[in-house]
Amino acid sequence: EVQLVESGGGLVQAGGSLRLSCAASGFTFDAYAIGWFRQAPGKEREGVSCITSSDGSTSYADSVKGRFTISSDNAKNTVYLQMNSLKPEDTAVYYCAARARWKYGWSFPGNYDYWGQGTQVTVSS
């Protein structure tokens, strides 16, 4: 059974930091890219970042570049999203998702095969 389990969300003040984790199981980890998405109330789901564990390549949305860092621990089949200098506009439910590596377009939700249940991140001003 494929599972993606997010953790690490919570409430933080603006300027603070959080680290999200995505633990994956049930599929060949290095055959997939893992992406982080977020969805705020009334808004579309947007791509935040993505990592391909096989070669370590990463991508980021412009809105988080320089503040968020994605990383992967292949031994643990876990992807992390370190979020620094958080802003109120970062408030959303954050999801991790897995995409077969051959699919291009990291920021398109429709390209992803498996999704986690999401974790809430709330940044207060």
Side-chain angles (χ1 to χ4, degrees):
E1 179 188 6
V2 173
Q3 281 194 316
L4 294 167
V5 180
E6 302 99 334
S7 60
L11 173 63
V12 65
Q13 289 188 333
S17 298
L18 284 173
R19 189 176 81 154
L20 305 183
S21 299
C22 173
S25 61
F27 61 93
T28 304
F29 189 67
D30 61 4
Y32 285 77
I34 304 295
W36 283 99
F37 288 77
R38 64 187 181 187
Q39 188 166 20
K43 294 189 177 181
E44 292 187 354
R45 191 167 297 189
E46 65 168 340
V48 174
S49 184
C50 181
I51 188 167
T52 302
S53 59
S54 59
D55 62 9
S57 59
T58 59
S59 300
Y60 294 94
D62 288 343
S63 58
V64 306
K65 279 181 182 176
R67 300 189 299 123
F68 291 11
T69 302
I70 192 170
S71 61
S72 176
D73 185 336
N74 292 354
K76 296 182 178 180
N77 284 7
T78 299
V79 170
Y80 304 98
L81 186 68
Q82 178 67 43
M83 305 186 296
N84 299 329
S85 302
L86 283 162
K87 305 175 181 180
E89 51 264 44
D90 294 317
T91 295
V93 177
Y94 283 70
Y95 300 88
C96 68
R99 181 187 94 244
R101 284 191 289 131
W102 59 266
K103 294 182 180 180
Y104 291 96
W106 74 268
S107 64
F108 296 102
N111 282 347
Y112 286 76
D113 304 294
Y114 308 113
W115 291 83
Q117 81 288 349
T119 185
Q120 176 70 47
V121 171
T122 303
V123 185
S124 62
S125 56

